Amino acid sequence: MRAKASVGPLGRDFAVTPDTIPVKEIVTATEVACQKLDQEEASLLRNEVVGILQNAKPPKPNLTKEEKRAIKSLKGNKDIVILPADKGKAVVVMDRTEYVAQCEKLLDDKNTYKVIGPTNPTKKLKGRLQRKLREIKKAGHLDPKVYDKIYPTSDATPSVPGKEVVQMAVKRAEEDPSWKSRTLLTPEEFGDLLLLVVSTTYFQYNNMIYEQTYGMAMGSPLSPVLANLFMEEFERKALDTAPHRPKFWGRYVDDTGIVNQQAHEQELFEHINQQHDSIKFTMEREQDGRLPMLDVMLIKNQDRTITTDVYRKRHTQTTTYSGPPTTPSSRNSALLKP
């Protein structure tokens, strides 16, 4: 039991030292590198690698035998699920029954997910994409080489409101004076392709295929870009219409730091939470002149200056699971009063 407890804090990025030298992997990587060299340089590299491998010894183990047995036991335990934590590099161990119950509870949200069934929708989506690409190519707005490269020929599988953020992106494109010099696509064609991507988020759980009908897929390279675009528009509207604009507003992803008059803090909090049905802020006020913001502790001094210190969140035994990918619909607001 102690061994199992000791391997947990190692985190999911912990690299276990190998018991043997990975000769095949090293030789394969060497041959790949040799293909880019001339014959003489390749021969020298091979000889050098062979010499190193002949004298190489496995590194000292960084786990005890008990810890290795504990990892093997945890890996083979079908009654638990081992997951990466939502934040940081910690590992979360959950009872499988509880994990399944939480997943099914999340998937019961009919406003966010829709059951498609066991049939893979990739073929249908491929057809939609093919038609749109042919249309753009016919209009002369897509280079033939690019068209040939991105045109799908196989059935390989390819909480920001999708349509709303696409409209924002199209508006930005229309207002961009350099748009025509950077692409042949019109803003409308760009929007059509973007909408096709954000409105076709599918995933499989328990042998059933689900469609995410609201929000952006976590892990998609487009998601942080579009989420940030959405929040920029959200902030612009909220601050332009605020009864009393805060002295400072700074956001990093979904954490916002605000400097505001104490008399106006609740008014601003209520105002920003009325801007969009899906975006709701929570607020953390300064305590004794101290306020944590991300990994920084903001400290207000008596002379009204701000100094900083490193802030580390306290770890607890409570674990949560965020479920299938979606964009969070709440935002944190940290308030520092002047």
Side-chain angles (χ1 to χ4, degrees):
M1 189 66 181
R2 288 183 178 179
K4 290 183 179 180
S6 68
V7 298
L10 295 177
R12 56 191 173 93
D13 290 339
F14 180 80
V16 180
T17 54
D19 295 326
T20 59
I21 300 297
V23 176
K24 290 184 179 180
E25 289 82 354
I26 294 174
V27 170
T28 300
T30 302
E31 288 304 314
V32 171
C34 286
Q35 293 177 6
K36 301 177 182 179
L37 304 175
D38 59 41
Q39 188 172 355
E40 184 178 352
E41 290 178 327
S43 179
L44 289 173
L45 177 59
R46 290 190 182 98
N47 290 335
E48 186 174 352
V49 170
V50 169
I52 293 173
L53 289 176
Q54 286 177 341
N55 298 309
K57 295 181 180 179
K60 292 182 179 180
N62 54 359
L63 291 176
T64 65
K65 292 182 179 180
E66 290 76 14
E67 288 173 332
K68 288 183 178 180
R69 284 196 291 267
I71 291 176
K72 186 176 181 180
S73 173
L74 289 170
K75 187 176 180 180
N77 190 343
K78 303 302 181 183
D79 295 327
I80 62 173
V81 179
I82 302 175
L83 307 161
D86 288 344
K87 292 186 177 180
K89 298 181 179 180
V91 174
V92 178
V93 180
M94 288 188 65
D95 177 80
R96 183 174 292 275
T97 302
E98 181 184 354
Y99 166 79
V100 171
Q102 289 196 30
C103 286
E104 292 178 348
K105 182 179 179 181
L106 287 166
L107 293 174
D108 281 340
D109 180 1
K110 305 305 180 185
N111 294 322
T112 304
Y113 305 108
K114 182 173 71 174
V115 179
I116 301 299
T119 304
N120 193 323
T122 304
K123 188 174 182 179
K124 181 180 178 180
L125 299 179
K126 183 184 73 173
R128 287 178 58 188
L129 179 57
Q130 287 174 331
R131 288 191 294 273
K132 177 53 65 177
L133 290 175
R134 287 196 296 266
E135 177 185 323
I136 296 175
K137 181 186 177 184
K138 186 177 180 180
H141 297 159
L142 192 60
D143 183 272
K145 291 183 179 180
V146 175
Y147 174 84
D148 292 339
K149 187 175 182 179
I150 66 175
Y151 188 84
T153 56
S154 68
D155 288 337
T157 303
S159 159
V160 172
K163 291 184 179 179
E164 193 172 347
V165 76
V166 167
Q167 291 172 354
M168 294 176 183
V170 170
K171 182 181 178 182
R172 289 286 185 94
E174 291 173 341
E175 296 172 349
D176 184 357
S178 66
W179 179 264
K180 291 183 179 180
S181 65
R182 294 189 288 115
T183 179
L184 294 174
L185 293 176
T186 66
E188 291 74 18
E189 291 168 339
F190 163 71
D192 289 342
L193 291 173
L194 192 58
L195 183 60
L196 183 61
V197 173
V198 302
S199 62
T200 53
T201 300
Y202 296 89
F203 60 91
Q204 188 175 34
Y205 173 74
N206 201 20
N207 297 322
M208 292 294 288
I209 295 176
Y210 292 80
E211 178 185 3
Q212 184 176 336
T213 58
Y214 192 82
M216 300 294 295
M218 189 175 292
S220 166
L222 268 177
S223 294
V225 177
L226 295 179
N228 197 50
L229 173 61
F230 180 87
M231 286 306 299
E232 286 179 6
E233 292 295 319
F234 175 92
E235 290 168 327
R236 181 191 59 76
K237 177 184 175 183
L239 294 177
D240 286 349
T241 58
H244 298 90
R245 193 181 182 96
K247 291 190 174 183
F248 173 81
W249 176 292
R251 176 177 56 85
Y252 181 80
V253 188
D254 61 352
D255 287 297
T256 304
I258 303 170
V259 177
N260 200 15
Q261 293 289 343
Q262 185 172 1
H264 301 150
E265 63 180 43
Q266 188 63 30
E267 176 188 64
L268 177 65
F269 179 65
E270 293 175 358
H271 172 72
I272 60 177
N273 276 336
Q274 293 172 355
Q275 301 304 306
H276 198 284
D277 292 339
S278 301
I279 306 296
K280 301 301 177 185
F281 283 68
T282 59
M283 181 166 60
E284 182 176 357
R285 296 177 172 88
E286 66 171 276
Q287 298 291 332
D288 299 323
R290 301 170 70 89
L291 180 69
M293 179 71 179
L294 301 172
D295 295 328
V296 177
M297 176 64 74
L298 303 175
I299 305 169
K300 185 171 67 177
N301 303 310
Q302 291 184 352
D303 61 358
R304 318 302 287 179
T305 60
I306 302 293
T307 55
T308 60
D309 197 1
V310 176
Y311 171 72
R312 293 184 176 89
K313 291 183 179 180
R314 296 177 60 184
H315 293 285
T316 67
Q317 296 300 317
T318 303
T319 58
T320 58
Y321 175 63
S322 61
T326 184
T327 300
S329 59
S330 63
R331 297 291 182 270
N332 297 323
S333 174
L335 186 65
L336 193 66
K337 298 183 287 291

